[in-house]
Amino acid sequence: MPGDLPAVGSFVAADYVVFALMLLVSAAVGVYYAWVDRSQGSTGDFLMGGRSLTAVPVSLSLTAGFMSAITVLASPAEVYRYGAVFGLVGLSYIFTVVVTSEIFLPVFYRLAITSTYEYLELRFNRATRLMGTVLFIVQTVLYTGIVIYAPALALNQVTGMDLWGAVVSTGIVCTFYCTLGGLKAVVWTDVFQVGVMLAGFMAVIIRSVLLQGGIGPIIQHSQQGGRLNLWDFDMNPLRRHTFWTLTVGGTFVWVSVYGINQAQVQRYLSCKTITHARMALYLNLIGLWVVLVCSVISGLCLYSVYKSCDPWTTGQVTALDQLMPYLVMDILRSYPGVPGLFVAAAYSGSLSTVSSSINALTAVTVEDLIRPHIDLSEKHLSWASKGLSLLYGALCIAMAAIASLMGGVLQAAITIFGIIGGPLLGLFTLGILFPFANSKGAVLGLLSGLVVALWVGIGAQIYPPPAAMSRPLDLSTAGCNFSTGFSNWSSTALPPPHSPFTRESTFSPESTTLPVLADSWYSVSYMYFSPIGTLTALTVGVVVSLLSGTRNPSSELEVAGRTRNFDLTKNEARKMGNTNLAFSDVELDLTKGHVTT
């Protein structure tokens, strides 16, 4: 019976067949689009899907890109350990979609750019563009390696699936369909993969509900265990998760993803009209809520099953992100192929994230590093794009190998990935909402935001916040009825958390005096790292721009002596929407239909 913690077994042939089918279908989509689009040799077709995609597949792709395997495995574990308060992050999704749709989308769509960082050169200068591009490439390669490796490690230790076989097969299949099919293959495999992910969640939820005698007992167990801690309006910024940290902090985090991150922006810019792009964003909001609800309910199911015999405390798993695969192997092992479905769901999360990253890395490299410096035909650029997809795929697999040697640094890397997005969001916001901002303010603002965000992030990594601020909930082993080498179980003496949502440290307060900032600045909720970086970059950028004098629009827009035609006013039948008044017409001379660069 689940809760007694027997040996959970390992994969059987049917599970491997289901997993292999998921990889095969994903690869087949790449082959299909490589064949269908074989006569179209431009980079626009490969990187942007010919800007001809419609709202529904793009919305599902946006949702799939948001869901990595880390999300599939770690979000339920977060609810299991800290409660359903995490579900309040769903409110931040509303603000994220509205801000992205009304502020960032109109600017990027009308410019018809491929790389979001191209805007930085048009608005400021080449140095700003290169800084943004380099930061994006570094964070994306690092994070993508982790996305490949972390779930492989968790699943390997629980299911017995070969670790490097899973890592390499995931990387190769993903690189294969990205290289052959471009963005169209990425989007349509995402549509398939989001279905697989939801099917994996539903298998766990339905089996748990049947096992526990209905949804009522699960809610009751969660209430008794303190997991339904939804409404906490404490304004203290040091508290890990409250209504304010999740809605305010979450909005900044996800706007930095949906508003300016190349991997997500590239998807909705591939829509055939701005109306389809907006529709894709709002439909994606429904997808995000469905995923969030599934992950929260899965976490409550996890707690209900193991409320009296925690697998983590008893050493059956060594990390919180192994709890979901452990549950699957425990309650679904008598249904051959179903554990394989959940693992396919987790790896679908990896595939969707890695594929979007590879395509985005290729796009920024071609547009920001190759096209401005090397004169190549569209056909040659298309071939270069395919080659870069192959290169970045190999690089991400190599990064997964390096990640395996990094140990606890993985959590620091994930934290840094979140931190970099904040200052970049501040930089783009400075350019769009403050017409007087100049390149000096942009560069100094970005650097200042990065330094401050890294300062608080690294400080929090070294001196993690006390339990009184993170507030982990009690776990019990009172109901365990199996024999172990331990003589005394106690829910008050738990091992330290091991998950992407918590930070552990080797710092010993007994041997060293805590710095003054340890209980204040370094203990601020990790959800506020992004707003700290954003607001610092904005403040410094505005002040420096005002002190150094506003920019000269005509000189600032001379980018390497080139002229780009953006066709901003013709073809009204495409319903491009109304002009975004927050974006100064003087900056890009929208009324003339071209920009001198």
Side-chain angles (χ1 to χ4, degrees):
M1 174 182 175
D4 296 343
L5 295 179
V8 294
S10 59
F11 259 29
V12 297
D15 298 317
Y16 283 107
V17 168
V18 172
F19 179 71
L21 278 174
M22 183 272 294
L23 294 177
L24 185 63
V25 171
S26 298
V29 173
V31 173
Y32 172 77
Y33 277 103
W35 175 256
V36 169
D37 295 336
R38 64 191 183 279
S39 61
Q40 300 176 357
S42 73
T43 53
D45 292 320
F46 184 80
L47 297 176
M48 302 298 292
R51 300 186 191 269
S52 61
L53 298 175
T54 55
V56 174
V58 172
S59 68
L60 291 173
S61 182
L62 286 167
T63 301
F66 158 82
M67 286 175 53
S68 70
I70 293 176
T71 305
V72 174
L73 299 177
S75 291
E78 163 71 18
V79 174
Y80 177 83
R81 184 70 173 124
Y82 294 95
V85 65
F86 181 71
L88 291 177
V89 76
L91 296 175
S92 71
Y93 298 162
I94 302 174
F95 303 118
T96 296
V97 168
V98 171
V99 169
T100 300
S101 174
E102 301 307 319
I103 295 179
F104 294 100
L105 170 62
V107 175
F108 295 145
Y109 197 93
R110 286 191 177 84
L111 289 176
I113 55 180
T114 299
S115 165
T116 53
Y117 305 99
E118 187 176 356
Y119 165 79
L120 296 177
E121 184 172 3
L122 295 171
R123 177 63 177 83
F124 297 115
N125 58 20
R126 176 167 291 179
T128 312
R129 175 181 184 176
L130 289 178
M131 288 174 63
T133 300
V134 170
L135 283 175
F136 172 78
I137 290 174
V138 170
Q139 73 170 16
T140 304
V141 170
L142 181 62
Y143 182 71
T144 304
I146 295 169
V147 164
I148 294 175
Y149 178 75
L153 180 63
L155 293 164
N156 161 260
Q157 294 183 355
V158 176
T159 67
M161 173 177 267
D162 182 70
L163 174 64
W164 290 107
V167 167
V168 174
S169 61
T170 302
I172 288 177
V173 168
C174 197
T175 304
F176 176 76
Y177 70 73
C178 284
T179 302
L180 286 182
L183 186 67
K184 284 184 181 178
V186 171
V187 167
W188 284 104
T189 50
D190 283 350
V191 172
F192 164 69
Q193 287 157 8
V194 77
V196 174
M197 283 186 272
L198 291 176
F201 270 133
M202 292 309 298
V204 172
I205 292 170
I206 291 171
R207 177 58 179 157
S208 298
V209 168
L210 294 175
L211 201 63
Q212 298 302 96
I215 193 70
I218 292 175
I219 299 298
Q220 183 181 3
H221 297 155
S222 301
Q223 178 68 48
Q224 293 170 349
R227 263 62 187 176
L228 300 184
N229 51 349
L230 285 173
W231 303 110
D232 183 350
F233 291 93
D234 190 340
M235 298 285 288
N236 187 349
L238 307 186
R239 294 282 285 271
R240 185 171 183 271
H241 281 167
T242 67
F243 175 87
W244 304 109
T245 60
L246 290 165
T247 53
V248 177
T251 298
F252 278 85
V253 171
W254 296 119
V255 169
S256 73
V257 173
Y258 277 86
I260 64 167
N261 188 284
Q262 176 69 27
Q264 295 293 74
V265 174
Q266 192 171 339
R267 283 170 157 87
Y268 56 72
L269 292 187
S270 67
C271 290
K272 58 184 181 181
T273 69
I274 197 170
T275 302
H276 275 272
R278 279 203 173 97
M279 195 183 304
L281 280 168
Y282 283 102
L283 288 175
N284 156 73
L285 178 60
I286 298 172
L288 293 181
W289 282 338
V290 170
V291 170
L292 182 64
V293 168
C294 285
S295 63
V296 170
I297 293 176
S298 295
L300 297 179
C301 291
L302 191 59
Y303 177 74
S304 179
V305 172
Y306 296 124
K307 63 185 182 299
S308 301
C309 192
D310 172 42
W312 184 44
T313 310
T314 56
Q316 301 301 302
V317 297
T318 58
L320 282 174
D321 53 12
Q322 294 173 11
L323 283 170
M324 275 299 282
Y326 184 90
L327 175 69
V328 167
M329 297 304 295
D330 191 0
I331 69 176
L332 292 169
R333 56 183 168 171
S334 57
Y335 299 89
V338 181
L341 175 64
F342 179 80
V343 171
Y347 276 100
S348 288
S350 276
L351 286 174
S352 62
T353 302
V354 175
S355 63
S356 63
S357 296
I358 290 174
N359 204 255
L361 287 166
T362 300
V364 299
T365 304
V366 168
E367 295 298 321
D368 298 334
L369 302 179
I370 295 179
R371 193 190 291 270
H373 305 287
I374 303 175
D375 187 17
L376 294 176
S377 66
E378 278 298 313
K379 185 175 182 179
H380 287 149
L381 281 172
S382 179
W383 280 106
S385 298
K386 295 178 187 292
L388 284 168
S389 294
L390 194 62
L391 174 65
Y392 278 122
L395 191 58
C396 290
I397 295 174
M399 189 62 231
I402 295 173
S404 69
L405 307 173
M406 293 172 68
V409 181
L410 286 176
Q411 293 171 20
I414 294 172
T415 302
I416 290 172
F417 174 81
I419 288 170
I420 291 175
L424 281 174
L425 175 61
L427 176 63
F428 279 92
T429 305
L430 180 72
I432 291 174
L433 297 184
F434 297 88
F436 59 82
N438 59 28
S439 56
K440 292 178 183 177
V443 172
L444 290 177
L446 176 61
L447 291 176
S448 300
L450 192 59
V451 168
V452 172
L454 285 172
W455 175 26
V456 64
I458 294 173
Q461 183 78 20
I462 299 172
Y463 307 104
M469 292 297 109
S470 58
R471 295 176 298 170
L473 299 173
D474 288 340
L475 301 172
S476 173
T477 57
C480 296
N481 57 6
F482 65 100
S483 176
T484 73
F486 296 92
S487 58
N488 182 32
W489 291 109
S490 172
S491 62
T492 61
L494 296 173
H498 298 266
S499 89
F501 291 96
T502 57
R503 300 181 295 283
E504 56 181 319
S505 172
T506 57
F507 175 77
S508 175
E510 292 82 7
S511 59
T512 310
T513 302
L514 284 169
V516 176
L517 296 175
D519 290 329
S520 54
W521 180 243
Y522 295 152
S523 293
V524 71
S525 171
Y526 75 101
M527 294 298 292
Y528 284 138
F529 291 172
S530 183
I532 286 172
T534 301
L535 296 177
T536 301
L538 264 179
T539 303
V540 173
V542 168
V543 171
V544 170
S545 295
L546 289 173
L547 293 177
S548 61
T550 56
R551 68 193 183 92
N552 180 346
S554 60
S555 63
E556 289 285 344
L557 291 175
E558 291 179 5
V559 185
R562 295 180 295 119
T563 300
R564 282 281 296 271
N565 293 318
F566 287 109
D567 294 327
L568 299 173
T569 56
K570 73 177 186 179
N571 196 3
E572 290 298 321
R574 291 173 61 118
K575 298 181 181 178
M576 301 297 277
N578 297 323
T579 299
N580 176 22
L581 298 179
F583 191 72
S584 172
D585 286 349
V586 175
E587 296 175 36
L588 295 175
D589 204 6
L590 299 177
T591 59
K592 295 183 180 180
H594 74 276
V595 179
T596 302
T597 57

Short mmCIF file of all heavy atoms in Angstrom, two decimals, residues 226-267:
data_model
loop_
_atom_site.label_atom_id
_atom_site.label_comp_id
_atom_site.label_asym_id
_atom_site.label_seq_id
_atom_site.Cartn_x
_atom_site.Cartn_y
_atom_site.Cartn_z
N GLY A 226 -2.08 21.46 6.90
CA GLY A 226 -1.69 22.85 6.71
C GLY A 226 -1.31 23.21 5.29
O GLY A 226 -0.72 24.26 5.05
N ARG A 227 -1.65 22.34 4.33
CA ARG A 227 -1.23 22.58 2.93
C ARG A 227 -2.15 23.57 2.20
O ARG A 227 -1.77 24.08 1.14
CB ARG A 227 -1.20 21.27 2.16
CG ARG A 227 0.19 20.63 2.07
CD ARG A 227 0.73 20.27 3.42
NE ARG A 227 2.13 19.80 3.35
CZ ARG A 227 2.86 19.49 4.41
NH1 ARG A 227 2.35 19.60 5.61
NH2 ARG A 227 4.11 19.08 4.29
N LEU A 228 -3.33 23.85 2.72
CA LEU A 228 -4.24 24.80 2.05
C LEU A 228 -4.03 26.21 2.60
O LEU A 228 -4.98 26.91 2.98
CB LEU A 228 -5.69 24.35 2.23
CG LEU A 228 -6.04 22.97 1.67
CD1 LEU A 228 -7.51 22.68 1.83
CD2 LEU A 228 -5.63 22.86 0.20
N ASN A 229 -2.78 26.63 2.61
CA ASN A 229 -2.39 27.94 3.16
C ASN A 229 -2.43 29.01 2.07
O ASN A 229 -1.43 29.68 1.80
CB ASN A 229 -1.00 27.86 3.78
CG ASN A 229 0.03 27.25 2.84
OD1 ASN A 229 -0.32 26.70 1.79
ND2 ASN A 229 1.30 27.34 3.19
N LEU A 230 -3.60 29.19 1.46
CA LEU A 230 -3.69 30.01 0.25
C LEU A 230 -3.61 31.51 0.51
O LEU A 230 -2.99 32.23 -0.26
CB LEU A 230 -5.01 29.70 -0.48
CG LEU A 230 -5.04 28.37 -1.24
CD1 LEU A 230 -6.43 28.11 -1.76
CD2 LEU A 230 -4.04 28.39 -2.38
N TRP A 231 -4.22 31.99 1.58
CA TRP A 231 -4.34 33.45 1.74
C TRP A 231 -3.43 33.96 2.84
O TRP A 231 -3.72 33.85 4.02
CB TRP A 231 -5.79 33.83 2.00
CG TRP A 231 -6.68 33.35 0.90
CD1 TRP A 231 -7.60 32.36 0.97
CD2 TRP A 231 -6.70 33.82 -0.45
NE1 TRP A 231 -8.20 32.17 -0.25
CE2 TRP A 231 -7.67 33.06 -1.15
CE3 TRP A 231 -6.00 34.80 -1.16
CZ2 TRP A 231 -7.95 33.24 -2.50
CZ3 TRP A 231 -6.28 34.99 -2.49
CH2 TRP A 231 -7.24 34.23 -3.14
N ASP A 232 -2.32 34.51 2.44
CA ASP A 232 -1.35 35.09 3.38
C ASP A 232 -0.97 36.46 2.85
O ASP A 232 -0.24 36.58 1.87
CB ASP A 232 -0.12 34.18 3.49
CG ASP A 232 0.89 34.69 4.51
OD1 ASP A 232 0.72 35.83 4.99
OD2 ASP A 232 1.84 33.95 4.82
N PHE A 233 -1.48 37.52 3.50
CA PHE A 233 -1.26 38.88 3.01
C PHE A 233 -0.16 39.60 3.79
O PHE A 233 -0.14 40.83 3.84
CB PHE A 233 -2.57 39.67 3.08
CG PHE A 233 -3.60 39.20 2.10
CD1 PHE A 233 -4.56 38.26 2.47
CD2 PHE A 233 -3.62 39.68 0.80
CE1 PHE A 233 -5.50 37.81 1.57
CE2 PHE A 233 -4.57 39.24 -0.11
CZ PHE A 233 -5.51 38.31 0.27
N ASP A 234 0.73 38.86 4.39
CA ASP A 234 1.85 39.45 5.11
C ASP A 234 2.71 40.27 4.14
O ASP A 234 3.13 39.77 3.10
CB ASP A 234 2.70 38.34 5.75
CG ASP A 234 3.74 38.87 6.72
OD1 ASP A 234 4.08 40.07 6.63
OD2 ASP A 234 4.21 38.09 7.56
N MET A 235 2.97 41.53 4.48
CA MET A 235 3.74 42.42 3.60
C MET A 235 5.25 42.26 3.75
O MET A 235 6.01 42.88 3.02
CB MET A 235 3.36 43.88 3.91
CG MET A 235 1.90 44.22 3.67
SD MET A 235 1.50 44.37 1.92
CE MET A 235 2.32 45.91 1.51
N ASN A 236 5.68 41.45 4.71
CA ASN A 236 7.12 41.28 4.97
C ASN A 236 7.82 40.72 3.73
O ASN A 236 7.54 39.59 3.31
CB ASN A 236 7.30 40.33 6.15
CG ASN A 236 8.75 40.23 6.59
OD1 ASN A 236 9.66 40.69 5.90
ND2 ASN A 236 8.98 39.64 7.75
N PRO A 237 8.76 41.46 3.12
CA PRO A 237 9.42 40.97 1.90
C PRO A 237 10.36 39.80 2.15
O PRO A 237 10.85 39.18 1.20
CB PRO A 237 10.21 42.20 1.41
CG PRO A 237 10.45 43.01 2.64
CD PRO A 237 9.24 42.79 3.51
N LEU A 238 10.62 39.50 3.43
CA LEU A 238 11.51 38.38 3.75
C LEU A 238 10.77 37.05 3.75
O LEU A 238 11.40 35.99 3.68
CB LEU A 238 12.16 38.59 5.13
CG LEU A 238 12.90 39.91 5.36
CD1 LEU A 238 13.60 39.88 6.71
CD2 LEU A 238 13.91 40.18 4.25
N ARG A 239 9.44 37.10 3.83
CA ARG A 239 8.67 35.86 3.82
C ARG A 239 8.71 35.24 2.43
O ARG A 239 8.45 35.91 1.43
CB ARG A 239 7.22 36.15 4.23
CG ARG A 239 7.06 36.63 5.66
CD ARG A 239 7.16 35.49 6.66
NE ARG A 239 5.96 34.70 6.66
CZ ARG A 239 4.90 34.95 7.44
NH1 ARG A 239 4.90 36.00 8.24
NH2 ARG A 239 3.85 34.16 7.41
N ARG A 240 9.01 33.96 2.36
CA ARG A 240 9.30 33.30 1.10
C ARG A 240 8.14 33.38 0.11
O ARG A 240 8.31 33.82 -1.02
CB ARG A 240 9.65 31.84 1.37
CG ARG A 240 10.11 31.04 0.16
CD ARG A 240 10.62 29.68 0.63
NE ARG A 240 11.12 28.92 -0.49
CZ ARG A 240 10.36 28.11 -1.21
NH1 ARG A 240 9.07 28.01 -0.93
NH2 ARG A 240 10.88 27.43 -2.22
N HIS A 241 6.98 32.93 0.51
CA HIS A 241 5.79 32.94 -0.35
C HIS A 241 4.62 33.57 0.39
O HIS A 241 4.15 33.03 1.40
CB HIS A 241 5.40 31.52 -0.77
CG HIS A 241 6.23 30.97 -1.88
ND1 HIS A 241 6.22 29.65 -2.23
CD2 HIS A 241 7.10 31.57 -2.73
CE1 HIS A 241 7.06 29.46 -3.24
NE2 HIS A 241 7.60 30.61 -3.56
N THR A 242 4.15 34.71 -0.09
CA THR A 242 2.91 35.33 0.39
C THR A 242 2.14 35.79 -0.84
O THR A 242 2.61 35.67 -1.98
CB THR A 242 3.19 36.55 1.29
OG1 THR A 242 3.80 37.59 0.50
CG2 THR A 242 4.11 36.18 2.45
N PHE A 243 0.96 36.34 -0.62
CA PHE A 243 0.18 36.88 -1.73
C PHE A 243 1.01 37.90 -2.51
O PHE A 243 1.00 37.92 -3.75
CB PHE A 243 -1.10 37.53 -1.17
CG PHE A 243 -1.92 38.24 -2.22
CD1 PHE A 243 -2.87 37.55 -2.95
CD2 PHE A 243 -1.73 39.60 -2.46
CE1 PHE A 243 -3.62 38.21 -3.92
CE2 PHE A 243 -2.48 40.26 -3.43
CZ PHE A 243 -3.43 39.56 -4.16
N TRP A 244 1.76 38.74 -1.79
CA TRP A 244 2.49 39.84 -2.43
C TRP A 244 3.74 39.35 -3.16
O TRP A 244 4.02 39.79 -4.27
CB TRP A 244 2.85 40.90 -1.39
CG TRP A 244 1.66 41.41 -0.66
CD1 TRP A 244 1.31 41.17 0.64
CD2 TRP A 244 0.59 42.20 -1.22
NE1 TRP A 244 0.11 41.76 0.93
CE2 TRP A 244 -0.36 42.41 -0.18
CE3 TRP A 244 0.34 42.75 -2.48
CZ2 TRP A 244 -1.52 43.15 -0.37
CZ3 TRP A 244 -0.82 43.48 -2.66
CH2 TRP A 244 -1.73 43.68 -1.63
N THR A 245 4.49 38.45 -2.54
CA THR A 245 5.70 37.96 -3.22
C THR A 245 5.35 37.22 -4.50
O THR A 245 6.05 37.34 -5.51
CB THR A 245 6.52 37.03 -2.30
OG1 THR A 245 5.72 35.90 -1.92
CG2 THR A 245 7.00 37.75 -1.06
N LEU A 246 4.24 36.47 -4.48
CA LEU A 246 3.87 35.66 -5.64
C LEU A 246 3.20 36.47 -6.74
O LEU A 246 3.38 36.16 -7.93
CB LEU A 246 2.96 34.51 -5.20
CG LEU A 246 3.66 33.42 -4.38
CD1 LEU A 246 2.65 32.53 -3.68
CD2 LEU A 246 4.58 32.59 -5.25
N THR A 247 2.43 37.49 -6.37
CA THR A 247 1.77 38.28 -7.41
C THR A 247 2.67 39.40 -7.93
O THR A 247 2.83 39.54 -9.15
CB THR A 247 0.45 38.89 -6.88
OG1 THR A 247 0.70 39.61 -5.68
CG2 THR A 247 -0.57 37.81 -6.62
N VAL A 248 3.28 40.17 -7.04
CA VAL A 248 4.15 41.26 -7.48
C VAL A 248 5.47 40.71 -8.02
O VAL A 248 5.87 40.99 -9.16
CB VAL A 248 4.43 42.24 -6.31
CG1 VAL A 248 5.39 43.33 -6.76
CG2 VAL A 248 3.12 42.86 -5.82
N GLY A 249 6.15 39.90 -7.20
CA GLY A 249 7.42 39.32 -7.66
C GLY A 249 7.23 38.43 -8.87
O GLY A 249 8.01 38.47 -9.82
N GLY A 250 6.14 37.63 -8.84
CA GLY A 250 5.87 36.73 -9.96
C GLY A 250 5.63 37.47 -11.26
O GLY A 250 6.03 37.02 -12.34
N THR A 251 4.97 38.62 -11.18
CA THR A 251 4.72 39.41 -12.39
C THR A 251 6.03 39.85 -13.03
O THR A 251 6.20 39.74 -14.25
CB THR A 251 3.85 40.65 -12.05
OG1 THR A 251 2.58 40.21 -11.56
CG2 THR A 251 3.64 41.50 -13.30
N PHE A 252 6.95 40.35 -12.24
CA PHE A 252 8.25 40.77 -12.78
C PHE A 252 8.99 39.58 -13.40
O PHE A 252 9.57 39.69 -14.49
CB PHE A 252 9.11 41.39 -11.68
CG PHE A 252 8.80 42.83 -11.41
CD1 PHE A 252 7.78 43.19 -10.54
CD2 PHE A 252 9.53 43.85 -12.02
CE1 PHE A 252 7.48 44.52 -10.29
CE2 PHE A 252 9.25 45.18 -11.77
CZ PHE A 252 8.22 45.52 -10.90
N VAL A 253 8.98 38.44 -12.69
CA VAL A 253 9.68 37.26 -13.20
C VAL A 253 9.13 36.84 -14.56
O VAL A 253 9.88 36.62 -15.52
CB VAL A 253 9.57 36.09 -12.20
CG1 VAL A 253 10.10 34.80 -12.83
CG2 VAL A 253 10.33 36.39 -10.92
N TRP A 254 7.80 36.75 -14.66
CA TRP A 254 7.22 36.20 -15.88
C TRP A 254 7.12 37.22 -17.00
O TRP A 254 7.12 36.85 -18.18
CB TRP A 254 5.86 35.54 -15.59
CG TRP A 254 6.04 34.38 -14.67
CD1 TRP A 254 5.52 34.21 -13.42
CD2 TRP A 254 6.84 33.22 -14.92
NE1 TRP A 254 5.95 33.04 -12.88
CE2 TRP A 254 6.76 32.41 -13.78
CE3 TRP A 254 7.64 32.80 -15.99
CZ2 TRP A 254 7.44 31.19 -13.68
CZ3 TRP A 254 8.31 31.60 -15.89
CH2 TRP A 254 8.20 30.81 -14.75
N VAL A 255 7.07 38.52 -16.68
CA VAL A 255 7.16 39.51 -17.75
C VAL A 255 8.56 39.46 -18.37
O VAL A 255 8.72 39.64 -19.59
CB VAL A 255 6.85 40.93 -17.22
CG1 VAL A 255 7.21 41.98 -18.27
CG2 VAL A 255 5.37 41.06 -16.90
N SER A 256 9.58 39.19 -17.55
CA SER A 256 10.93 39.08 -18.11
C SER A 256 11.05 37.86 -19.03
O SER A 256 11.93 37.81 -19.89
CB SER A 256 11.97 39.00 -16.99
OG SER A 256 11.94 37.74 -16.33
N VAL A 257 10.17 36.88 -18.85
CA VAL A 257 10.15 35.70 -19.72
C VAL A 257 9.30 35.95 -20.96
O VAL A 257 9.75 35.79 -22.09
CB VAL A 257 9.64 34.45 -18.96
CG1 VAL A 257 9.47 33.28 -19.91
CG2 VAL A 257 10.59 34.09 -17.83
N TYR A 258 8.05 36.37 -20.75
CA TYR A 258 7.12 36.53 -21.87
C TYR A 258 7.32 37.85 -22.62
O TYR A 258 7.06 37.94 -23.82
CB TYR A 258 5.67 36.44 -21.37
CG TYR A 258 5.20 35.02 -21.22
CD1 TYR A 258 5.45 34.31 -20.06
CD2 TYR A 258 4.54 34.38 -22.26
CE1 TYR A 258 5.04 33.00 -19.92
CE2 TYR A 258 4.12 33.07 -22.13
CZ TYR A 258 4.37 32.38 -20.96
OH TYR A 258 3.97 31.08 -20.85
N GLY A 259 7.77 38.88 -21.91
CA GLY A 259 7.88 40.18 -22.55
C GLY A 259 9.13 40.37 -23.38
O GLY A 259 9.08 41.00 -24.45
N ILE A 260 10.28 39.81 -22.92
CA ILE A 260 11.54 40.13 -23.61
C ILE A 260 12.41 38.92 -23.93
O ILE A 260 13.35 39.03 -24.71
CB ILE A 260 12.39 41.11 -22.77
CG1 ILE A 260 12.82 40.47 -21.45
CG2 ILE A 260 11.62 42.40 -22.53
CD1 ILE A 260 13.88 41.23 -20.70
N ASN A 261 12.15 37.76 -23.33
CA ASN A 261 13.01 36.60 -23.58
C ASN A 261 12.80 36.08 -25.00
O ASN A 261 11.68 35.79 -25.41
CB ASN A 261 12.71 35.50 -22.56
CG ASN A 261 13.70 34.35 -22.65
OD1 ASN A 261 13.62 33.54 -23.56
ND2 ASN A 261 14.61 34.29 -21.70
N GLN A 262 13.89 35.95 -25.72
CA GLN A 262 13.83 35.57 -27.13
C GLN A 262 13.04 34.29 -27.36
O GLN A 262 12.28 34.18 -28.32
CB GLN A 262 15.25 35.41 -27.68
CG GLN A 262 15.33 34.93 -29.13
CD GLN A 262 14.85 35.97 -30.12
OE1 GLN A 262 14.93 37.15 -29.84
NE2 GLN A 262 14.38 35.54 -31.27
N ALA A 263 13.19 33.31 -26.48
CA ALA A 263 12.54 32.01 -26.68
C ALA A 263 11.02 32.14 -26.73
O ALA A 263 10.36 31.44 -27.50
CB ALA A 263 12.96 31.06 -25.56
N GLN A 264 10.44 33.03 -25.92
CA GLN A 264 8.99 33.20 -25.92
C GLN A 264 8.54 34.25 -26.95
O GLN A 264 7.56 34.05 -27.66
CB GLN A 264 8.50 33.62 -24.53
CG GLN A 264 8.70 32.54 -23.46
CD GLN A 264 7.85 31.31 -23.69
OE1 GLN A 264 8.13 30.50 -24.58
NE2 GLN A 264 6.82 31.14 -22.89
N VAL A 265 9.27 35.36 -27.03
CA VAL A 265 8.90 36.43 -27.97
C VAL A 265 8.91 35.91 -29.40
O VAL A 265 8.02 36.23 -30.20
CB VAL A 265 9.86 37.63 -27.83
CG1 VAL A 265 9.58 38.67 -28.91
CG2 VAL A 265 9.72 38.26 -26.45
N GLN A 266 9.88 35.08 -29.73
CA GLN A 266 10.00 34.54 -31.09
C GLN A 266 8.75 33.77 -31.50
O GLN A 266 8.36 33.77 -32.65
CB GLN A 266 11.23 33.63 -31.14
CG GLN A 266 11.65 33.23 -32.54
CD GLN A 266 12.99 32.51 -32.51
OE1 GLN A 266 13.75 32.64 -31.56
NE2 GLN A 266 13.27 31.74 -33.54
N ARG A 267 8.09 33.14 -30.52
CA ARG A 267 6.90 32.37 -30.82
C ARG A 267 5.75 33.28 -31.26
O ARG A 267 5.14 33.07 -32.31
CB ARG A 267 6.48 31.56 -29.60
CG ARG A 267 7.31 30.32 -29.35
CD ARG A 267 6.95 29.75 -27.99
NE ARG A 267 7.26 28.34 -27.86
CZ ARG A 267 8.42 27.86 -27.48
NH1 ARG A 267 9.41 28.70 -27.24
NH2 ARG A 267 8.62 26.56 -27.35
#
